[in-house]
Amino acid sequence: MNIVDPNGPSLVNIASNPLPEGARVGYFKTADNVQLRFAFWPKSAGKQRGTICLVQGRTEFIEKYFETIADFRKRGFAVATFDWRGQGGSDRLIGNPRLGYVDKFEDYWTDLKSFHGHILLPECPPPYYLVGHSMGGLVSLFAAAKDRLMFDRVFLSAPMVALDRQPLSMAGMARAAEALSFIGLGRMPVSRKADRPASETSFPDNPLTGDMLRYLRMVDVVKARPDLEIGAPTVRWVAAAMAAMAAAGSDSFPGRIKIPLLMLAAARDTVVSTNATEQLGLQLRTGRHLVIAGARHELFMETDTIRGQVFAAFDAFITEQSG
């Protein structure tokens, strides 16, 4: 069953992943004319604490965060979120809609800036808190460095600061992928085992979560709405992402962040580099980091015990500061 607005997009509502009540769903256009799907929920309990702007990782979509959205709302926050260009219910950018693509990483900043101007400021109660996961965490770091007035605080889950086990440095990988793009291979997929579609049989060795029910919930959503899914990234996406990670790893980057920021890293993360997150955390002047023991990459989708630690950190850093 879908909740359908005849003039706009829909959100998947299934028994294993119920849609939180009160959703407003729509499209907005970015500054460069890309159509993105967004959703907004008012707070569901308690005093009004402002709005959580939730930005996702690569391949993700709004429906994946229904449980987490409900958790934020119970704390007195409204929640506003959207699907990045090229994924979820937003415009796909190349002929093959299943491949992850972006021209340049700066385009994600355009998405966030446009969302802030078109949806957050006119529609959502202040103050605004940015919560970003993985790729969304890297975009969030750049947002904090570029404009310290957009958000009061930034909370990151397993930010994509660097990738381990690469043959070259982030800058070297960016240059190699850029060279392949230059000769016309930018839309070619970069296949990795980690990008295989999730299924009932892929849970035991998955890198994302130790919680089977939360893992299978996302399998159910994609079964109900296959067009939300994307798989392997393209060479062009790799070039853009590696260049952004290289920039975030530069000596000058930490000093550019001047707003309160907390990064949570997962001790058992094999998707992004926990060590790089720790190194960045040690260099931040207005930020810090915390490593969650036993956790895999998707901290908000993990077991109840791990999620409890994540929300304890969130409450200490944002909920208790928003009173």
Side-chain angles (χ1 to χ4, degrees), residues 165-199:
R165 298 173 299 281
Q166 301 300 309
L168 301 168
S169 67
M170 298 299 100
M173 293 294 292
R175 284 192 293 271
E178 194 66 57
L180 291 173
S181 294
F182 183 73
I183 61 171
L185 300 179
R187 299 186 179 193
M188 186 174 73
V190 180
S191 295
R192 306 175 304 167
K193 182 181 176 184
D195 294 311
R196 289 178 188 165
S199 68

Side-chain angles (χ1 to χ4, degrees), residues 295-307:
R296 299 184 210 182
H297 180 60
E298 293 189 350
L299 291 165
F300 286 119
M301 313 300 160
E302 262 287 10
T303 62
D304 289 348
T305 301
I306 289 170
R307 288 183 91 250

Side-chain angles (χ1 to χ4, degrees), residues 63-80:
E63 286 86 347
K64 191 166 181 175
Y65 285 88
F66 282 175
E67 180 186 19
T68 299
I69 288 164
D71 289 328
F72 288 139
R73 295 178 71 213
K74 285 174 198 165
R75 287 163 163 78
F77 295 99
V79 182

